[in-house]
Structures are given as C-alpha cells and as structure tokens.
Amino acid sequence: MEVYEFKKNFLTRLLETTNVLNGGGTNIPASAIRSEWTHFVEVAVEPTGWQALWKASRPVCEQLSMKYPLVVLGTVDQVLFDELKASFIIEAIQDDDVHFPEEQITVDLEELWPLREQNNPALNVNITADCIDKLRFFYQHLWMPWDNDGEDEHSWIDKHLESRIRFCHDLKNKTMSRQLSSHALALLAEARYIQRKRDFIELQLSEEEDQAEEEDEDNESSILKDSRSSELLQLNLRLNTIKNEINILENPIMRSVYEKVRFGVGKSKGDTPMSYIVTQAVPMDEQLTYLQSVKEMMDAKISVKMCDSLQHALDHCSPDSAIYLPPGTRQDIKFLEYLNNGGSFRGVSNAAFVEAYDRATKENPTIVSKNDDSVLLTIDGDFTLENIRLDCSNVRTGVVIKQGNITFRNCCFTGAPRSSNKQGIVIFGNCTITFERCVIKEFSTGIYSNHDCTINLVKTTISHCMTGLETLDQCQILFNSASITDCSQYGLLLEDFNDDAQNTQNGSGVPTEGSRSQVFEDYNTIEREEFTFEGSCAFRDNAKGNFVIRKGFSERFNSSCFVDEDETQQQHDVEDGLEDSICDATNVSFSANYLEASKLSSTKQISRSADISVASESASDTGGSGSMSQSEDEELSEYDGVENSTLDVRDVRHSLLEVKQSGITSESNETVAMKHDDQVIEIDDTIIEID
C-alpha cells in the first residue's frame, strides 16, 4: 500500500503558495487566507470516493483517549470544502486495541494521505495528493496560530510569507546554533499543540452554550466555573508569549541578540573537568552535612562550582560535567540541548524506589519540565542518572535516547495515570541502556525500543502502563529479577517482521486474531533469541497478555511516531535548497484480514508479510500530523498490472523577487498512465487555472 510523498525545495514552496494566495493579483489579508485555500481545494481535490490513510494528530488521540501514534485506513465519503475537512469512513486500523465509537468521522484534510492505488482508477488522485501536500505544508510550517488574531490591515503575503519561508530554510539547514534552533522548534511545536487543544475546548464550550440557550438556562456562570475556561485562558496567555518570541526569531538580525539575552554567555570549554553542586537554603549544619555527602561521592581532586538550581548548572556546565542534586528538592528545568559525553545527574540520597517507593519519592530529588514541552530530556551519548525521580506528567515523552551507553540507577519515571499517549522512554537504534533498581509507571507505553538496541532490566519494575515494554525484533533484552505487572493491555509487545523458521514456530503461545499474534503467559515457554531471563522475574496481571508476539501488524519504528519533531530537523540531501521536486511513494501495510475486508485494490496483491514503513518528512509538533516518507535505501514496489503513476512538478529556480512577481496561472503538465487489465486511461497536458 503506497501513499504519496512530495519532496520540494523552498523556492518551489514559495511559488506554489504565492500562486494559491495571490492568484488574482490582489493583497490578501489574514482573514481571507482560508477562503483562498477553500477555492483552490474545490478546484483540485476529488470531492468523494478516494482511499487514504489518516494519521491522527496527538490532540485528536488525547480527545478520543486513544494511543498515539494512530494510523487509520479508510475512504473519503465527502470533502467539506468550506471547513477544509473530510467525512472519513473507517475501514481498517493498524492497532487492534483501538476501537472507534462510530465508523465515520470528520477529520482535517491535511491529516489525510491519499493512496497511490485507488478502487476507482479514473480519479485524479495525484492532483488531489499534490493539493493536500501544499495545504499541509502551509498550515504546518507557514501559518501561525495567532495570525487570525492579529491586525488585518496589511497583506499577509507581503508581511509574512517570505520571512516564514526563510525561517523554515534556516531551521532546516541549521544556520542557527543547535541551542537556538532547538528552542525555536520547541516553541513552534508547542504553539501548534496549543492551537489544536484550544480549538477542541472552544468547540466544546460553544456546543454547551448553544444547548443551554435552547433550554433557556443562564450558562454564563456555569462556563466561568468550568475548569476548561481557566485552561483556555492559560493556553491563550502562553500562546501570546510564544508569538512574541517567534516574531523576534523570524528576523535574522535579532536572533543573535535574542540568544544572548535568552541563554546568556556561551559555556566555557576549558580542559579542566568541573563538577557542579546544586545547593538549597538550609541551616549551616545541614548544608555541611550535604556537602560532606557529596564529597564522598566524587573525586576529591576535581574542581567544583556551587549553583542554586539545576537550571543554573545546565546553563553553564559542559557535556561531561557531573551535577549533584540535594535530596527532597524539585528541580524545574527548560533544557533543549543533548546530554552526552559521559556526564551525569546524581541525587545525594540513598532511598530505594523499588523497596520503599513512598519514602524514596520524598527523599530523592525530582526533575520536572517548566512548561508543557514535548520531551523532558534528550540523550545522544554516554550518560548516567542516579537516585532521581523524573516527573513526566506535563511532557509527552519522558526521555529520548538516540545513541550511547546510558545507565539509570535507582531512578523513577512517572507519567499520568489517565493518559493514553505519553511515552516513558523512547530508544533509537545503536544504544545500550541499563535500568538498575528503577521504577517505570503510569505511561501509555513504558519503554519503546527500535532495532539493534540492548536493554538490561536489573531489579526493575514496570507497572500500571497500557503496555509495559514495546520493541521490534532484533533487539536484545535482559530481564534480571525484573517485573512487568498491572498493565491495562500488554506486559511486553514484540513486533515481529521476520519470516525465518523460529518465527513460524508456534511453541506454547496461544495464537489470536487469525494467528497474527501469539500470547505467552509464562516467560519460560518463550523461545526467542531477543529475550534472556535471569533470577526471579515476575510477569502478571497484564490484562491482554504478559508476552505478545505480533507479526505484520503495525508500522515499523520511526522517531516521528513517538517524538514530535519539525520537518526542519530531518536530514535531506539538499544544496542551497534547490533539489528537484519529485513525487515519491511510501509503503504502508495493514494485516491480511483488514486487506480482505476493505478490498483496497482490485489490481494489487499484497502479502501478509509485507513490510510496513511509515516515516516522517514532517512530524511537527505536538499534535500536528507528520508526513510519511520512505528511506532512500528502500525501493518502491511494483505490482503486476499496475504502473506507478508519477507527478512531475516544475523545477523552480527563480529568485525571491521573481517569485513575488509570478503570474496567476499554475500549470501542471502531467501524464497519468493507469493500467487495469487491458484498459489504459491517459490524461495529457492538464491545465488548472485559478482566477
């Protein structure tokens, strides 16, 4: 199953957006932008009957109390042009544990990814996909949530379009420092997340107000008492703060000044190793006792520096520094750089989370995010955390590990009990992670793991999650006196994409759902090279199975599925932003039962063992949907009886001045060849004119 992907340079994006919004040659204010897109979509998008994948945004998953990420297959019943939405008939869901209350749902048009192969070959689905791609890029990268709230006197194109395109280009090509670009991306992701959440709350309050008017009730006092009103006010205040910062960052001249004011002077990079001791205001005797405890934990010859908070230490330390935290303190941080190079966070306490959880929670230091960030900590090298509680209740992912040897010793990770889309630890490939005497609880998934990882769970407990540990095959996991208990779905879920002999052996597992999944209650009956068990392990009270091995079911791991990142963080082979625009395809497959039920194609034969690859050229934010891209090493599949249609978008090499003076006609010379049995439908030289 293939979906469209478009790789375009920024000059192409600028020309396309200018043609859509300035086709009539008039200045378009911000309030008229949406209507211009509505007119364009009405001309280019097929109104009904085309199949697509819906990649639900994080706020949608939160609203529906469903696990994120969520990919759904279905058919567009009707495009609601005025709202830029579509009525979507659900036909298949990649996760069997997800159930929608209704078979038809209204979704944003930009969250849909049209399939390359349609049941009706006469549809111009390539033009539809290109139009949605333009719409998606505009609303994910150029349009800001506050644009409609501002002044409407000037042309939006003259005021914002070129500066926003340049801002995207600078982020993508890393012309800013990593600290500043990380901060900008976090602000953009948070802004779009706030926008989605604000829209949901406003819609709910509006519906309740209309209902109260029909019942002749005084709803004003009830709305003021509603907690959602105060939440809406907080969201608007935070959005206004983000707006002011982004307006400064869009100006290249002001960025360096902003960076000095926001982050202070650069960190010293001397050769002398330095440790940082975070202190608190306590009586002298207690302070001396604390410093004596720190002295026993560190090298006596190393230089030390006192700080009044963890944030202060992070602002001045080098990556290899050790930071010591006082017991029983709460450290609020806003840290956007990566942890690596052998550094460490160490709590000066010895209360054990596994043996005495309540006492350890009070005595050990706690690290928490200052704002509702996407990620609390990101690690891309060797690092150690010891005697620390990580409070992940106000972030969407606790810790992201990209590479290195990482050790968590006597640490506790806590999420939110009712959350359906918070991840505890997300592990990329080429990592070795050791959890020693740790507690992980109250996440939708405690640990996500990619291929080629080594995870050591030593006397560690994972409990009260939806899924305790989810991993792909070819990942080595050691359980040494570890336990996974009281999960509402699975204790451990292994996604198996191999077809070798060991995967076809039934063993003692109980096959479920057409033999796609095998459930093991006793870990001694599992014969998998990925797992090693030592000591006294415990796996119990997991609602849908202690161990589940699932084949050919959900999408392969990709960072965009779990971490909200902007398109500008992805690596592309681009020179000066002038690569050719191409239309590519991405393979995505569902289980065999879904394929038979939905009859996705009358010409393709898709095997159950088909690989699933959902990547993201753009996974923005916190909530905005990400685009699905294919790795460069993969080759597009070709099927008997079908030739993959291609869409050639003109290579644009105009200067920015020439782009602004471009005409009102957008031509798209395409040739679509679709073969179904002996019939060929060809469409040549299609021209779309927008007045």
Side-chain angles (χ1 to χ4, degrees):
M1 190 185 310
E2 298 176 348
V3 298
Y4 282 90
E5 175 206 7
F6 296 88
K7 297 179 181 178
K8 304 174 183 177
N9 60 66
F10 285 110
L11 290 180
T12 303
R13 295 289 188 184
L14 181 58
L15 176 63
E16 290 178 343
T17 306
T18 303
N19 286 338
V20 172
L21 300 181
N22 201 23
T26 59
N27 293 330
I28 305 298
S31 59
I33 292 293
R34 192 171 184 85
S35 62
E36 292 296 317
W37 276 108
T38 299
H39 299 328
F40 179 72
V41 169
E42 284 180 333
V43 173
V45 173
E46 292 284 352
T48 184
W50 43 279
Q51 287 74 47
L53 293 182
W54 171 43
K55 188 172 185 292
S57 63
R58 186 184 291 271
V60 171
C61 293
E62 290 180 355
Q63 186 73 12
L64 298 174
S65 298
M66 294 182 177
K67 185 178 177 181
Y68 178 84
L70 177 63
V71 180
V72 181
L73 171 68
T75 300
V76 173
D77 180 61
Q78 181 182 3
V79 176
L80 309 175
F81 294 106
D82 292 339
E83 303 176 28
L84 295 179
K85 296 179 181 291
S87 179
F88 189 69
I89 301 175
I90 298 173
E91 297 177 355
I93 306 173
Q94 275 193 314
D95 195 336
D96 271 345
D97 301 317
V98 175
H99 301 282
F100 282 88
E102 299 178 358
E103 294 183 357
Q104 189 164 334
I105 189 172
T106 301
V107 303
D108 289 337
L109 203 57
E110 64 188 73
E111 294 179 356
L112 293 178
W113 302 86
L115 301 183
R116 287 177 64 89
E117 183 182 359
Q118 300 287 322
N119 291 343
N120 183 1
L123 295 174
N124 285 329
V125 69
N126 49 358
I127 298 177
T128 296
D130 184 46
C131 175
I132 294 177
D133 174 74
K134 297 173 184 177
L135 178 71
R136 182 185 302 116
F137 180 83
F138 178 81
Y139 277 105
Q140 287 187 358
H141 301 286
L142 303 182
W143 182 260
M144 298 298 174
W146 50 81
D147 283 346
N148 260 337
D149 303 332
E151 299 179 358
D152 209 22
E153 299 176 356
H154 305 285
S155 169
W156 185 93
I157 297 176
D158 295 338
K159 187 175 181 180
H160 295 296
L161 181 57
E162 186 174 322
S163 62
R164 298 267 173 89
I165 287 282
R166 287 185 180 276
F167 188 44
C168 288
H169 178 272
D170 292 344
L171 285 172
K172 179 177 179 179
N173 291 279
K174 300 182 179 180
T175 59
M176 293 180 278
S177 66
R178 187 172 69 175
Q179 180 176 242
L180 186 60
S181 62
S182 297
H183 180 63
L185 291 170
L187 290 176
L188 292 172
E190 185 182 357
R192 293 188 173 93
Y193 175 79
I194 290 175
Q195 179 192 21
R196 296 295 185 97
K197 198 166 185 177
R198 184 179 65 170
D199 291 343
F200 279 128
I201 295 176
E202 289 177 346
L203 180 61
Q204 290 177 347
L205 293 176
S206 177
E207 291 176 352
E208 293 176 3
E209 185 177 359
D210 294 340
Q211 183 178 0
E213 290 178 356
E214 294 177 359
E215 298 175 357
D216 295 331
E217 295 181 1
D218 183 10
N219 196 44
E220 183 176 353
S221 59
S222 62
I223 290 180
L224 292 176
K225 294 179 181 179
D226 196 328
S227 60
R228 290 172 297 179
S229 298
S230 60
E231 183 180 5
L232 187 62
L233 178 59
Q234 292 177 358
L235 293 175
N236 286 326
L237 291 175
R238 176 58 184 161
L239 193 62
N240 189 60
T241 302
I242 296 174
K243 170 188 173 181
N244 295 332
E245 293 193 55
I246 292 297
N247 287 340
I248 295 174
L249 292 174
E250 287 179 3
N251 187 339
I253 300 176
M254 297 299 296
R255 288 174 194 163
S256 58
V257 178
Y258 174 86
E259 187 171 12
K260 292 179 181 179
V261 174
R262 176 64 176 79
F263 302 105
V265 296
K267 300 177 182 179
S268 59
K269 299 182 180 180
D271 296 331
T272 304
M274 179 78 70
S275 292
Y276 292 80
I277 302 176
V278 178
T279 61
Q280 57 180 333
V282 294
M284 177 63 71
D285 291 341
E286 188 174 343
Q287 192 77 273
L288 293 175
T289 302
Y290 166 64
L291 294 177
Q292 181 62 34
S293 300
V294 175
K295 181 179 179 181
E296 296 173 357
M297 298 175 63
M298 61 184 298
D299 185 356
K301 297 181 179 180
I302 197 170
S303 300
V304 298
K305 184 176 182 179
M306 302 295 185
C307 299
D308 58 1
S309 67
L310 175 58
Q311 183 66 61
H312 184 199
L314 291 173
D315 290 340
H316 295 84
C317 72
S318 58
D320 60 346
S321 299
I323 301 178
Y324 297 88
L325 304 176
T329 58
R330 175 187 172 96
Q331 304 292 335
D332 296 274
I333 64 170
K334 178 79 172 181
F335 188 62
L336 301 169
E337 295 188 55
Y338 294 166
L339 303 173
N340 50 41
N341 207 25
S344 64
F345 293 166
R346 301 180 187 273
V348 186
S349 175
N350 55 7
F353 286 103
V354 175
E355 288 83 7
Y357 177 79
D358 292 337
R359 184 170 71 90
T361 301
K362 295 179 181 179
E363 295 184 6
N364 289 319
T366 299
I367 298 178
V368 63
S369 174
K370 285 183 178 179
N371 301 315
D372 293 339
D373 295 325
S374 298
V375 181
L376 179 59
L377 295 175
T378 303
I379 304 174
D380 69 343
D382 298 351
F383 204 80
T384 301
L385 287 92
E386 184 176 0
N387 303 329
I388 290 175
R389 175 174 175 258
L390 297 172
D391 185 350
C392 309
S393 58
N394 63 340
V395 295
R396 289 171 284 284
T397 303
V399 179
V400 173
I401 301 174
K402 296 193 173 184
Q403 62 180 354
N405 299 317
I406 295 91
T407 300
F408 298 98
R409 187 176 297 113
N410 190 32
C411 292
C412 176
F413 304 80
T414 57
R418 298 182 180 180
S419 174
S420 61
N421 46 46
K422 285 185 184 294
Q423 294 89 31
I425 302 98
V426 175
I427 304 171
F428 289 33
N430 193 26
C431 299
T432 299
I433 300 95
T434 300
F435 297 91
E436 183 179 336
R437 297 180 289 112
C438 294
V439 173
I440 303 170
K441 60 187 301 184
E442 298 176 349
F443 292 97
S444 64
T445 300
I447 301 175
Y448 273 110
S449 177
N450 196 5
H451 297 289
D452 303 325
C453 296
T454 300
I455 303 175
N456 301 311
L457 297 172
V458 181
K459 297 181 180 179
T460 292
T461 299
I462 303 175
S463 65
H464 298 91
C465 299
M466 291 179 65
T467 298
L469 192 157
E470 183 171 343
T471 180
L472 298 187
D473 50 18
Q474 303 173 18
C475 178
Q476 301 299 316
I477 304 177
L478 167 66
F479 296 92
N480 187 339
S481 300
S483 64
I484 302 179
T485 63
D486 300 299
C487 293
S488 60
Q489 292 186 5
Y490 308 117
L492 184 147
L493 175 61
L494 172 67
E495 300 284 5
D496 186 3
F497 295 92
N498 291 326
D499 295 323
D500 54 20
Q502 77 157 348
N503 294 334
T504 59
Q505 294 176 355
N506 187 35
S508 301
V510 179
T512 61
E513 300 175 9
S515 298
R516 293 196 311 273
S517 301
Q518 286 181 288
V519 179
F520 298 83
E521 296 301 329
D522 185 359
Y523 65 87
N524 292 310
T525 62
I526 302 177
E527 298 179 358
R528 297 285 304 199
E529 62 181 10
E530 288 91 348
F531 305 136
T532 303
F533 301 94
E534 298 178 359
S536 178
C537 298
F539 303 91
R540 64 177 185 274
D541 300 328
N542 300 301
K544 296 185 178 181
N546 293 329
F547 283 82
V548 177
I549 299 176
R550 191 162 62 187
K551 291 179 61 64
F553 185 73
S554 67
E555 60 195 69
R556 277 192 179 274
F557 179 94
N558 180 273
S559 62
S560 65
C561 296
F562 311 105
V563 184
D564 300 313
E565 295 181 301
D566 196 88
E567 177 189 18
T568 54
Q569 290 177 294
Q570 307 299 323
Q571 295 291 335
H572 298 281
D573 295 330
V574 181
E575 295 182 1
D576 299 327
L578 294 175
E579 78 279 18
D580 291 338
S581 299
I582 63 174
C583 171
D584 218 336
T586 297
N587 287 330
V588 180
S589 67
F590 287 73
S591 62
N593 288 359
Y594 281 150
L595 293 175
E596 294 173 0
S598 58
K599 298 180 180 179
L600 298 180
S601 172
S602 59
T603 58
K604 279 189 182 179
Q605 298 294 328
I606 303 179
S607 65
R608 289 182 55 193
S609 60
D611 281 346
I612 299 161
S613 175
V614 177
S616 175
E617 179 188 1
S618 165
S620 69
D621 115 58
T622 54
S625 63
S627 66
M628 305 175 183
S629 64
Q630 179 183 17
S631 64
E632 296 177 356
D633 296 332
E634 294 180 21
E635 295 181 358
L636 301 181
S637 303
E638 294 184 0
Y639 300 92
D640 296 337
V642 178
E643 288 185 1
N644 290 333
S645 59
T646 61
L647 173 63
D648 295 326
V649 184
R650 293 177 304 165
D651 185 24
V652 181
R653 302 183 184 275
H654 301 293
S655 66
L656 295 179
L657 179 60
E658 291 172 334
V659 168
K660 295 179 67 175
Q661 297 174 348
S662 61
I664 65 173
T665 303
S666 175
E667 298 182 0
S668 178
N669 297 326
E670 306 168 353
T671 300
V672 180
M674 299 182 181
K675 295 183 179 180
H676 183 274
D677 297 333
D678 295 330
Q679 299 179 356
V680 178
I681 300 175
E682 295 185 354
I683 303 174
D684 296 328
D685 297 329
T686 301
I687 299 177
I688 300 176
E689 294 186 358
I690 303 176
D691 295 328

